[in-house]
Every structure is written in structure tokens, then in C-alpha cells.
Amino acid sequence: DTGSAAATPIDPRFDIAYVTPVTIGTPPQTLQLDLDTGSSDLWVFSSHTPASQVRGQRIYAPDKSTTSKLLNGHTWSITYGDGSGSRGNVYTDKFTIGGVTVKSQAIETAQQVSSSFTTEDAIDGLVGLGFSTLNTVSPNGQLTFFDNAKPNLDSPVFTADLKYMKPGTYDFGFIDKTKYTGEITYVPVETDPGYWTFTSSGYGVGSGTFSSSPITGIADTGTSLVYLPTAIVTAYYRQVQGATNSRSYGGYVFPCNSTLPAFVFGVGEAKFTIPPSYMSYAAVTDGSPTCFGGLQSSSGIGVNIWGDVALKAAFVVFNGEEPPTIGWANK
Ligand SMILES: CSC[C@H](NC(=O)[C@H](Cc1ccccc1)NC(=O)N1CCOCC1)C(=O)N[C@@H](CC1CCCCC1)[C@@H](O)C(=O)OC(C)C
């Protein structure tokens, strides 16, 4: 098997998240889900989600699918890094992304979602692409779509080609040579506790010297920004006129008309450049002259996160061979 599906920004003003069309059940029900390498639950808004918590999202109705089966006595409950969360019960059903089908995928149906999911009408749920050890289903943990699909994929990989303010793609089972330039640099992945954790070889601010120092963090398609150690973040914003670490806005902000340096990060011997346009994430509110940075401190989170702002600057291979590795290429 191989497959390919679009990853479309949910907001035309800034890349807060990307959604991908999937089909569930028989006849197929189409939902737009956020593929998230930072978690490992596949959950959806459903006919079990209280109407008061559904605001425009598409739902999966297992009772309308001839292939759905209740996974008796199983429940799930998840809380994300941003404090949002959801919980519910579990079915198995046919699940397809970009032509790759898993005949019996655990589909976690929401019986409760937090307010930020209710207000985000473009996201109908998540497809966790982290390691299955992180799956929250109890009493028996379930496998991710990738783990279920892997044995039938031509190659046990999926790739992320996210783009700045336009649709990109997720590919499954193959590496598309037309999507990158030069070589792919593969580095080891630490699978404990279950994220795609790797070590970057260092960073540079603009045309400044490159600082070779290991930065261990996770590649997370479900996180909008890049979160790195405070020392790196302050070194970056020291080069930005009028930048301040705003308590009220919860991070580094600067005048939108400030000149921003690029941010360079290393993977092995390779270098990746996040352009200034990606580093100016968004105006703090529509029309404000104050902009919020795409690079923020990880000190409050406990893990460094290479989110969409970094992933957009590269073609990334999530290699599910044993032992797993992660590959980065320029594009
Ligand atoms: C500091 S880590 C926070 C991260 N969340 C985010 O990055 C959210 C994503 C979002 C998308 C759409 C609507 C609302 C929020 N964005 C966010 O907090 N932003 C505030 C700063 O400006 C950029 C947008 C996060 O929790 N990621 C989740 C997946 C995410 C998907 C969208 C819905 C909410 C959950 C997951 O990757 C995760 O928990 O990672 C852990 C390892 C941190």
C-alpha cells in the first residue's frame, strides 16, 4: 500500500493547525482530522458527543456504519499540552487516509470534549501518529493508524510536507523524491515515552555563527510553534527590535514591522532555515501592530517541541522501521 493526503491549514491568516480528510465506516463517512505526531489516540466528534458541545464539526455515527463494532467496556481520556482534552468510548471500524485502509481501526468516539475543541469548528478530531505506547484506551491500549497500516505499507514510513499558508501533504508507505532536494539526514529516535524524540545538532540566529550543541526535542505536527530552551529563545529575540517577553500575551512579541532574522537548526551535518516570515507567527489580535513569535520558550512545558513552524521548513520522514529514525531534508 501507499497513500497521499492533503494537509490543509484550518485558518487562512496563520498556520495554527492542518487537517486531512479521512473516511470512516461503511458507507464511508468523511471527517477532517488533525494528524498529530505528539499523541497516539485517534478520536472523533461523534453521535455520542452532546449536541451542546458540537458546533459545526462533522461527526462519526457508528450506528450508521455496517462495519462498526463497539469495543465493549473500553474508554479513553486524553489531555493535551495546551490543556484541551476529550474522553469517551471506543469502536472499531474501517478507516482510510489517502487510499490506505485499515479494516479494523480503533475509533475513539467523544462523549465529552473541552471548550477549545467545541469552538474549533474546523477540527473533527485527531489521528495520533505518536508511538502506540501513549494510547490512552483502557483496559487495553489500542494501536495507531500507522502501526495498524505499517505491515501493508510498501515501506514502513510516513512523511510530512507541511507548507506555509497553503496545503501540503502527508504520504504513507513511500518517500516522494520530488518533494525534497539534496539528501535526507536520518537521526535516531528515542521512543520512550512515546514521542518522535530526536536530538538536533544546534542552532544559529540569522547569519550569525552556528552554535553546535545538542537540543533534544519532539517532532510534533500537532503543535503550531517551536518551543526551545530559554537561552536559545533570548539569543534570537535579542536580534529583534522592540521584542519583549509579554506576560499578558504569554510569550515573545514584537512590532509586526520589525525586521526578523531567520532561525537555523541542525540535524546531523544538515542545516535547516526557518525564514523570517515563519518566525513572525501572527498579529496578537486581528489588525494589531504587535506580532507573536513563532519561536517561544519551552521552560513551561518540560519538553522542547519542533512544531509546524519548523516542520514547514523541511520534508520530514517518520521511519517506523525497527529501530525507528527520523529523516530531515530541505525542499
Ligand atoms: C505547547 S504544546 C501545545 C499544543 N497545542 C498547540 O500548539 C495549539 C494547537 C491548536 C490548534 C488549533 C486550535 C487550537 C490549538 N496551538 C496553540 O497553543 N497556539 C498558541 C500559541 O500560538 C499558536 C497557537 C498541543 O497541545 N498539541 C497537541 C495536539 C493539539 C492539536 C490541536 C488541538 C489541541 C491539541 C499534541 O501535539 C500535544 O499535546 O503535544 C504535547 C507533546 C505537547
Side-chain angles (χ1 to χ4, degrees):
D1 285 0
T2 62
S4 199
T8 304
I10 63 170
D11 192 310
R13 298 165 297 171
F14 37 76
D15 296 332
I16 189 167
Y18 299 83
V19 285
T20 296
V22 310
T23 59
I24 313 176
T26 315
Q29 301 178 39
T30 299
L31 276 69
Q32 300 285 342
L33 304 185
D34 184 349
L35 272 54
D36 174 27
T37 56
S39 67
S40 304
D41 282 50
L42 194 171
W43 73 266
V44 292
F45 275 77
S46 74
S47 47
H48 296 282
T49 314
S52 62
Q53 296 179 20
V54 183
R55 206 159 303 153
Q57 293 82 2
R58 280 146 299 239
I59 65 163
Y60 163 61
D63 300 352
K64 295 212 176 88
S65 168
T66 57
T67 41
S68 71
K69 283 194 191 65
L70 176 68
L71 199 57
N72 223 329
H74 286 71
T75 58
W76 61 280
S77 175
I78 194 163
T79 304
Y80 296 103
D82 60 18
S84 62
S86 48
R87 60 178 170 77
N89 46 22
V90 188
Y91 288 78
T92 58
D93 207 341
K94 186 177 171 191
F95 183 84
T96 301
I97 305 183
V100 175
T101 294
V102 169
K103 281 191 286 300
S104 180
Q105 172 66 44
I107 313 284
E108 301 170 31
T109 48
Q111 291 176 302
Q112 196 272 330
V113 301
S114 62
S115 55
S116 62
F117 281 115
T118 298
T119 51
E120 188 46 73
D121 64 357
I123 296 179
D124 305 332
L126 267 68
V127 180
L129 294 174
F131 292 89
S132 293
T133 43
L134 285 179
N135 181 265
T136 74
V137 173
S138 169
N140 308 315
Q142 301 300 303
L143 296 181
T144 64
F145 165 75
F146 180 51
D147 273 351
N148 281 322
K150 214 189 298 183
N152 304 322
L153 293 177
D154 289 16
S155 175
V157 301
F158 66 93
T159 66
D161 179 19
L162 299 180
K163 293 181 189 274
Y164 175 66
M165 300 182 73
K166 60 183 180 189
T169 50
Y170 287 106
D171 293 338
F172 292 90
F174 73 108
I175 293 173
D176 184 341
K177 287 192 173 311
T178 68
K179 288 184 176 160
Y180 65 92
T181 59
E183 298 298 311
I184 301 174
T185 300
Y186 289 93
V187 291
V189 161
E190 170 53 61
T191 59
D192 178 16
Y195 304 116
W196 290 87
T197 305
F198 71 100
T199 297
S200 158
S201 47
Y203 76 98
V205 177
S207 53
T209 55
F210 183 82
S211 166
S212 294
S213 60
I215 311 165
T216 298
I218 69 170
D220 185 359
T221 56
T223 286
S224 317
L225 307 184
V226 176
Y227 296 88
L228 294 177
T230 305
I232 296 177
V233 177
T234 49
Y236 178 80
Y237 288 108
R238 201 174 300 133
Q239 307 299 327
V240 179
Q241 281 286 340
T244 60
N245 189 4
S246 158
R247 205 173 318 288
S248 58
Y249 289 121
Y252 283 87
V253 298
F254 44 82
C256 294
N257 57 15
S258 293
T259 305
L260 288 180
F263 182 81
V264 179
F265 63 97
V267 178
E269 300 298 305
K271 299 276 189 306
F272 298 87
T273 299
I274 305 177
S277 56
Y278 300 13
M279 297 302 287
S280 177
Y281 175 69
V284 291
T285 46
D286 271 359
S288 165
T290 304
C291 275
F292 196 75
L295 170 62
Q296 296 296 339
S297 171
S298 61
S299 58
I301 305 172
V303 65
N304 297 316
I305 304 179
W306 303 93
D308 299 335
V309 161
L311 298 168
K312 281 183 272 191
F315 175 79
V316 186
V317 181
F318 295 83
N319 171 31
E321 283 175 325
E322 201 44 57
T325 59
I326 187 167
W328 294 74
N330 277 289
K331 60 188 183 189

